[in-house]
Amino acid sequence: MAETPTFGRYAEIPYDQMTPEQQEGFKALMESRGRLPGPAKIYVHNPKLSKVMGPFGAHFRGPYSLNTREREIAVCVVNSKFHTAYATNAHERAAKEAGLPADKVEAILSGLTTSFDDPREQVIYEMAVCLTESRWVSKGLYERAIQLLGHVGATDVIALMGFYAAVSMTLAFYDVPAGAAGMAR
């Protein structure tokens, strides 16, 4: 195992030095992602987790109940909570590329209040802020979310936020800087 950190504080394991189980986890991540970005570079160390996180994350790359703009609203709210340079940098770009206005993306990432004209985007933003701030979900917010997103969409928002909370905390723990490349794979 490499002793010198290659991805933030984490020292990635060259493929030929992985255990057979880690190689299986690596293959599972590659099958679900096609590449090994961000926290997947770290998850490969834990083969059981790799086999779960790859397909779980793949669900959120679609097709599923949320569009790209909606996904990026929730992800940016989560990133604003955990102050993770790598994920924030990546998703600030992704949100703007998805067509979200720069001022709204920047407000979200700065923890400032913003709003959206699209009712689905607005309710996703409100859900994400409410849940990341550990606030009580009012009956009105619940009813609007179910009306606009249905139970599938609402649970997709919640699970997406949980997934990105794990991503953000992993990247924060290993102090991965914005734009870190890690080992070439």
Side-chain angles (χ1 to χ4, degrees):
M1 179 166 64
E3 293 181 18
T4 304
T6 57
F7 193 64
R9 294 177 181 147
Y10 180 71
E12 295 171 85
I13 306 167
Y15 185 82
D16 62 351
Q17 294 177 27
M18 291 178 189
T19 66
E21 293 81 15
Q22 288 170 329
Q23 288 178 350
E24 284 180 33
F26 176 87
K27 289 176 187 172
L29 286 166
M30 292 298 286
E31 287 172 7
S32 64
R33 294 285 318 217
R35 57 191 180 88
L36 203 63
K41 292 175 173 291
I42 298 165
Y43 298 151
V44 76
H45 208 105
N46 182 337
K48 285 184 178 181
L49 184 61
S50 298
K51 292 176 185 176
V52 173
M53 292 300 276
F56 188 34
H59 172 74
F60 301 115
R61 286 185 297 284
Y64 74 118
S65 68
L66 305 179
N67 67 38
T68 305
R69 286 172 59 109
E70 294 166 347
R71 179 190 70 218
E72 290 304 324
I73 290 168
V75 171
C76 285
V77 170
V78 170
N79 287 337
S80 75
K81 178 71 172 177
F82 291 101
H83 313 287
T84 307
Y86 183 93
T88 300
N89 179 57
H91 287 281
E92 178 178 13
R93 282 192 324 269
K96 290 174 181 177
E97 288 170 7
L100 289 169
D103 64 324
K104 296 190 181 302
V105 173
E106 292 159 11
I108 292 170
L109 293 173
S110 299
L112 303 173
T113 302
T114 193
S115 63
F116 296 89
D117 293 332
D118 179 275
R120 282 178 56 98
E121 291 178 358
Q122 182 63 30
V123 82
I124 289 167
Y125 170 73
E126 290 176 24
M127 284 178 68
V129 169
C130 179
L131 293 169
T132 57
E133 296 299 321
S134 301
R135 302 288 183 215
W136 179 259
V137 178
S138 70
K139 186 174 182 189
L141 175 55
Y142 168 82
E143 288 174 350
R144 281 186 297 113
I146 298 306
Q147 177 186 13
L148 291 165
L149 306 172
H151 291 288
V152 171
T155 56
D156 269 343
V157 171
I158 296 161
L160 171 71
M161 291 176 61
F163 177 78
Y164 272 94
V167 165
S168 292
M169 288 188 280
T170 299
L171 294 166
F173 182 81
Y174 287 98
D175 197 24
V176 180
M183 289 175 55
R185 298 279 187 180

